[in-house]
Amino acid sequence: MPTPIDASERHVVRLERLLAAGRALTAELDLQTMLDRLLVAGRDLTGARYAALGVLDEARTGLAEFLTLGLDEETRETIGDLPRGHGILGLLIDRPTPIRLHDISQHPRSYGFPPGHPPMRSFLGAPITVHGRIWGNLYLSEKRTGEDFDDDDVDSIVTLAQWAGIAIDNARLFAESARGRAEVEQTMRTTIEIAEAIGSDTGLPPILELIARRARELVDAHGLLIWLREGDELRIAAVAGDEEVPSAASIPVDGSTAGEALRTGRPVRVADARSLRADPAEFGMDGARSALVVPLTHRGQGLGVLVAFDRRGTSTTFGADHERTLAAFAASASTAVATARLVERQRLQDTMAAAEAERTRWARELHDQTLQGLASLKILLGGALRAPSGTGRPAVESAVGQVEHEIEALRAIIADLRPAALDELGLEPALRTLVARLTGGTGVRARVDIDLGRARLPPEVETTAYRVAQEAVTNVLKHAGASSVELVVRQDADRFLLRVVDDGRGPGGGGAAPGAGGDRRPEAPVGSGFGVVGMLERAALAGGVTTIGPGSGGGTVVALDLPLRPPGAGADG
């Protein structure tokens, strides 16, 4: 059975291949070339022998065009006329949802194959939609391994079909007019930029900010907001423009124009921005008159909306061409948002897997060191019991010394895993004990200044603070060459603040290490391994941030900033 790390690596490789295919499709503006690439990408991603693409006719009841990959010219001539959308292919036209079959011939809608047609059993099909309307279908058949198509194949082809829908629409826009061509080229560059941002392991907030900036540029809007759904509300997640937008601003899904766009999956142009069921001034858009609302949907799920306010120039209202352009961009942006969320979930799974590996390591430590020591102690004491009277004392004295050694080893392990003072007395005693234990006998002067009041902090805050302090002080002793270290802890009604300051060599790079969404990591002597990564990730998972940088008088400052009031929880969209 593959390990979690193996599965994670395969998942990352699949995402990279899928992103590469998306980049290739959306970068191609010639429709025929793009469709050829789509067939190649579909076959390569799933390991299928055959790929085909059916383009629907105007009535959307049959196929006007049928492209294939995997059949040679002789086989095509033997088969004769290409399919027109009956049988299994017609099933996808009637019900445009992904279909996966173990054996095509066993399905009730199967018409069989014409003479000379190669044998095909396993089947996977997915619809391609453009602006919410079915444009065609992508078909894959006969996996090379002889196995059925699996869930990863389905996810890959569904996402690829979405990329194809974006690329098809963009290619049509390119062909319509020179103005449309310029807009599409800008959309392409933005789509690639977003895809590259995802591929470079960027977090969700920077992705949303990038989408907001590029969307605003596409329609030349005075301001643009991204609202993501959280339960029954839409909350602001990113802003592009000069306005000051309150972070807590929200509007209801039910009864609002934005909610209507999200429910129907269709853009809405409004002449009066107040019809969004909120005064635009409440979310920073003072004096806004018109708005363009475009939904962000992924695989039928409403993620949120793009809301553009007032075009810059002589006319503030948005036209049909702006609606079309922003809708095309929103299709790409939706996939980017969903993919970024998927990557964040994968990061969390990787973190959990790493934690499990750490538990396994401690289990080995207990087994190999402590249990082995106790076993040898048992043998030693057993020998002392069997020795003639008065001759076993040296063995007993040796055993007592070994017991004391094992007790100290166990205490160290337990303190590393979970200090008792943290559970029994709270964070302040635990931190004071930690600093005393780590610096004792090192010659490094330690000062602890803690003011937390009497109330206990949330468990996740206490655990995060303890671990960050533990790693920061340990780094000072190992890497900084410091003569003193200071731990300062404060809290107010909303935030918890912790600082570890030393007078050592300072962070080698001389700059600040980022918390969530940053762009730099510290260099030695602070340390750049799992400990620093752990500090950053612990803070991010608790909704806060860890920064690492030089102190005003030299040395290094590690600062932890955590919210004491968790952000409003809600559905993921």
Side-chain angles (χ1 to χ4, degrees):
M1 181 177 179
T3 65
I5 293 178
D6 291 336
S8 175
E9 290 176 349
R10 287 201 307 274
H11 182 77
V12 170
V13 169
R14 184 173 69 87
L15 280 178
E16 290 175 346
R17 293 176 61 197
L18 189 55
L19 285 170
R23 292 190 194 104
L25 290 179
T26 54
E28 181 53 62
L29 296 178
D30 179 76
L31 182 60
Q32 192 60 48
T33 303
M34 189 279 298
L35 296 180
D36 292 339
R37 288 185 177 181
L38 174 62
L39 292 176
V40 172
R43 192 172 68 167
D44 291 346
L45 284 170
T46 61
R49 292 183 184 276
Y50 308 103
L53 178 67
V55 181
L56 271 62
D57 56 24
E58 291 186 4
R60 288 177 169 76
T61 57
L63 298 179
E65 188 177 358
F66 194 78
L67 310 177
T68 63
L69 180 65
L71 300 176
D72 55 36
E73 283 297 324
E74 182 178 351
T75 303
R76 285 197 188 95
E77 293 177 0
T78 303
I79 294 174
D81 293 337
L82 294 175
R84 291 300 175 187
H86 305 294
I88 299 297
L89 304 187
L91 181 61
L92 259 173
I93 298 174
D94 298 338
R95 294 187 303 173
T97 57
I99 297 175
R100 176 173 48 173
L101 300 175
H102 168 68
D103 190 342
I104 300 174
S105 64
Q106 299 302 311
H107 195 277
R109 288 282 295 265
S110 176
Y111 277 25
F113 296 111
H117 196 287
M120 295 182 184
R121 296 186 61 203
S122 56
F123 176 84
L124 174 60
I128 299 173
T129 61
V130 178
H131 290 315
R133 301 184 69 191
I134 302 302
W135 181 88
N137 295 304
L138 179 60
Y139 314 107
L140 289 308
S141 182
E142 202 63 18
K143 198 161 182 173
R144 294 180 184 276
T145 61
E147 301 172 344
D148 289 345
F149 294 102
D150 58 22
D151 292 340
D152 285 344
D153 295 325
V154 174
D155 289 340
S156 296
I157 292 307
V158 168
T159 302
L160 186 65
Q162 291 173 336
W163 284 115
I166 298 166
I168 290 164
D169 186 58
N170 288 336
R172 285 177 166 180
L173 288 173
F174 179 83
E176 285 177 359
S177 66
R179 181 168 179 265
R181 182 176 305 167
E183 292 176 348
V184 171
E185 287 175 349
Q186 189 175 2
T187 302
M188 294 296 89
R189 289 193 297 271
T190 301
T191 300
I192 294 171
E193 185 179 2
I194 293 171
E196 289 175 346
I198 296 174
S200 63
D201 201 32
T202 302
L204 179 60
I207 295 291
L208 293 173
E209 291 174 4
L210 176 61
I211 290 172
R213 290 198 306 271
R214 296 297 179 259
R216 181 195 181 203
E217 294 169 1
L218 281 174
V219 294
D220 197 22
H222 178 71
L224 187 136
L225 305 179
I226 296 180
W227 305 69
L228 293 185
R229 182 169 188 171
E230 293 185 8
D232 295 330
E233 292 183 324
L234 288 162
R235 291 187 175 274
I236 294 176
V239 181
D242 300 327
E243 295 77 7
E244 292 292 332
V245 178
S247 59
S250 65
I251 58 175
V253 173
D254 292 338
S256 65
T257 304
E260 176 190 346
L262 191 63
R263 179 179 57 82
T264 62
R266 296 175 182 173
V268 178
R269 279 180 281 153
V270 294
D272 187 350
R274 288 174 298 180
S275 64
L276 294 170
R277 196 177 165 182
D279 183 353
E282 293 182 7
F283 38 87
M285 296 296 164
D286 296 344
R289 288 174 287 177
S290 64
L292 171 59
V293 184
V294 177
L296 294 168
T297 58
H298 179 72
R299 298 180 66 175
Q301 184 181 35
L303 304 178
V305 292
L306 300 175
V307 186
F309 291 93
D310 292 347
R311 288 197 66 243
R312 291 181 287 191
T314 56
S315 175
T316 62
T317 59
F318 298 95
D321 53 342
H322 305 115
E323 177 183 319
R324 184 179 65 247
T325 299
L326 195 57
F329 173 75
S332 173
S334 301
T335 301
V337 171
T339 304
R341 282 180 165 177
L342 180 62
V343 170
E344 284 195 339
R345 285 195 292 269
Q346 186 63 43
R347 286 196 194 115
L348 180 59
Q349 292 173 3
D350 292 344
T351 300
M352 295 172 63
E356 187 61 33
E358 185 68 7
R359 294 188 188 96
T360 302
R361 184 175 75 84
W362 282 117
R364 286 198 303 267
E365 289 288 333
L366 289 171
H367 177 273
D368 296 343
Q369 179 177 324
T370 305
L371 289 184
Q372 296 299 328
L374 292 175
S376 62
L377 177 61
K378 178 181 178 182
I379 295 173
L380 183 63
L381 291 175
L385 289 174
R386 292 191 297 271
S389 177
T391 62
R393 182 177 179 81
V396 173
E397 291 176 345
S398 176
V400 170
Q402 189 169 346
V403 167
E404 292 175 348
H405 174 76
E406 298 301 335
I407 288 174
E408 290 302 317
L410 278 174
R411 283 175 176 168
I413 291 174
I414 291 170
D416 282 341
L417 288 172
R418 181 74 180 181
L422 191 58
D423 290 324
E424 297 170 3
L425 303 177
L427 182 60
E428 180 173 349
L431 289 176
R432 292 186 181 278
T433 302
L434 170 71
V435 174
R437 179 168 62 85
L438 291 178
T439 60
T442 63
V444 176
R445 298 188 307 276
R447 178 177 178 270
V448 179
D449 181 5
I450 300 177
D451 185 5
L452 292 176
R454 296 183 178 181
R456 287 295 295 266
L457 295 168
E460 64 273 13
V461 172
E462 290 190 344
T463 301
T464 301
Y466 184 88
R467 291 305 180 204
V468 170
Q470 182 182 41
E471 183 62 33
V473 175
T474 299
N475 276 347
V476 171
L477 300 177
K478 286 184 177 181
H479 305 293
S483 61
S484 67
V485 62
E486 180 183 40
L487 172 66
V488 180
V489 180
R490 294 288 187 271
Q491 77 171 83
D492 55 28
D494 298 315
R495 307 207 69 77
F496 171 89
L497 304 172
L498 178 148
R499 284 164 51 92
V500 176
V501 184
D502 69 73
D503 61 355
R505 289 188 291 269
D519 58 2
R520 251 190 105 185
R521 293 196 184 276
E523 303 173 9
V526 171
S528 56
F530 293 114
V532 169
V533 174
M535 285 194 290
L536 303 181
E537 289 185 345
R538 282 183 183 278
L541 289 172
V545 62
T546 297
T547 58
I548 305 174
S552 58
T556 301
V557 178
V558 177
L560 171 68
D561 184 346
L562 296 177
L564 293 179
R565 293 180 180 177
D572 200 28

